Amino acid sequence: MTRLTALFALGLALVAPPALAAPTGGLAVEGTSFVVTTATARLASPDLVGAVFEIDDGKGGLTQVRIDAVTPAKENAAILLHTLSSRDPKSGEWLSMCDPDALGRRAGFPLRGRWDGYRFVGDPNAWFLACTSGSQGKCVLWGYDPWGETPDGRPLADFYRTCQQSVRADYRGDGAPHTKNGTEIDVADIASVQRHDTVDNPDYIFEAGWGPTGAVCVAATRWSDLLTEEALLKASPNLGGTCDEAAARARGALIFTRIKRR
């Protein structure tokens, strides 16, 4: 479900639009905003609309990226959604970097950190671009900012990692997703960042409790045509047994998911 995980390469150029002075330092990230310091100003993403910069394409080359628009997210105005385009190296055409999310937005934002395969690493010296159509962006929109804290002061980094597993239905924590685009899940967590709204809805059932490395127990798999409960428990019998919210809490779950009956 991840659409983009490009890392910033130190020393790459930022091409400023005509109204901006040339940057004196690198392109930094604070929260979900780009930050550029010039000789006369400190500029954030809303000031950088129209700017073009280059990122490592992961293949030993560079990709040009343009900031087309910046708007606050409806879920949280502190999150800045960026409309981003990349230049096609063959045609020269500017193409959207993100697929549409559930609200039809082709948007993303930068976030400090990096990925070791499919696991988030809280590296303050790197950043990546997360699209709202993928788990990396969705989990921030849901309140699991990996650099933030829960209402009671606990770091959210492990909640962010856990959210990745739950969105992708990566039950075994081995990087293999078992879900389909557009699948609805009802998420809650032990810190009440998110709460269930389907508890009294008989059309929904408890799916699993989740931790940073995958499920801690599974009551039902999300899509039986992708993975049956029997096949999962045969491969990972430790995920079996009683699995409801209370049992998942006892096993150390941070996040709980409910899914529609099928």
Side-chain angles (χ1 to χ4, degrees):
M1 297 176 68
T2 299
R3 307 309 307 170
L4 183 74
T5 56
L7 292 178
F8 178 59
L10 295 176
L12 298 185
L14 177 128
V15 183
L20 300 179
T24 58
L27 185 62
V29 169
E30 294 182 8
T32 56
S33 177
F34 291 113
V35 175
V36 172
T37 302
T38 73
T40 58
R42 184 177 182 275
L43 308 169
S45 285
D47 308 307
L48 297 171
V49 172
V52 175
F53 58 95
E54 294 178 318
I55 58 175
D56 184 347
D57 66 2
K59 302 176 183 178
L62 301 176
T63 296
Q64 285 192 328
V65 177
R66 186 180 66 198
I67 303 174
D68 296 323
V70 179
T71 57
K74 66 181 293 293
E75 295 89 342
N76 180 347
I79 298 172
L80 296 180
L81 298 186
H82 297 58
T83 303
L84 300 166
S85 298
S86 61
R87 189 190 291 275
D88 185 289
K90 294 182 179 179
S91 68
E93 184 180 2
W94 288 97
L95 304 173
S96 175
M97 296 188 73
C98 293
D99 288 341
D101 63 16
L103 299 179
R105 301 173 296 193
R106 290 182 177 269
F109 45 81
L111 200 65
R112 284 184 299 141
R114 60 182 173 83
W115 291 84
D116 180 6
Y118 50 88
R119 298 193 187 283
F120 172 78
V121 178
D123 184 348
N125 298 313
W127 59 261
F128 61 96
L129 294 173
C131 290
T132 59
S133 56
S135 63
Q136 295 176 354
K138 285 180 182 178
C139 290
V140 175
L141 290 173
W142 291 351
Y144 304 118
D145 175 358
W147 299 96
E149 294 182 343
T150 65
D152 59 359
R154 286 179 286 184
L156 276 168
D158 273 345
F159 287 81
Y160 181 70
R161 296 183 182 100
T162 300
C163 182
Q164 303 300 315
Q165 310 287 2
S166 64
V167 170
R168 291 165 48 84
D170 182 3
Y171 300 106
R172 300 179 66 188
D174 57 5
H178 301 93
T179 191
K180 301 178 183 181
N181 286 339
T183 302
E184 180 184 356
I185 59 173
D186 182 14
V187 175
D189 60 78
I190 63 170
S192 298
V193 175
Q194 289 285 330
R195 294 181 171 89
H196 287 310
D197 56 17
T198 65
V199 172
D200 298 322
N201 187 335
D203 292 335
Y204 287 78
I205 58 174
F206 190 80
E207 177 193 21
W210 302 86
T213 59
V216 300
C217 69
V218 177
T221 53
R222 197 166 300 175
W223 288 98
S224 59
D225 57 335
L226 297 180
L227 179 68
T228 65
E229 182 183 349
E230 291 75 19
L232 173 63
L233 297 183
K234 182 177 180 180
S236 299
N238 59 300
L239 299 180
T242 300
C243 188
D244 53 22
E245 186 168 322
R249 281 178 181 268
R251 295 195 191 192
L254 299 181
I255 287 177
F256 318 101
T257 52
R258 293 174 59 82
I259 56 174
K260 207 164 190 178
R261 292 180 186 273
R262 294 185 176 84

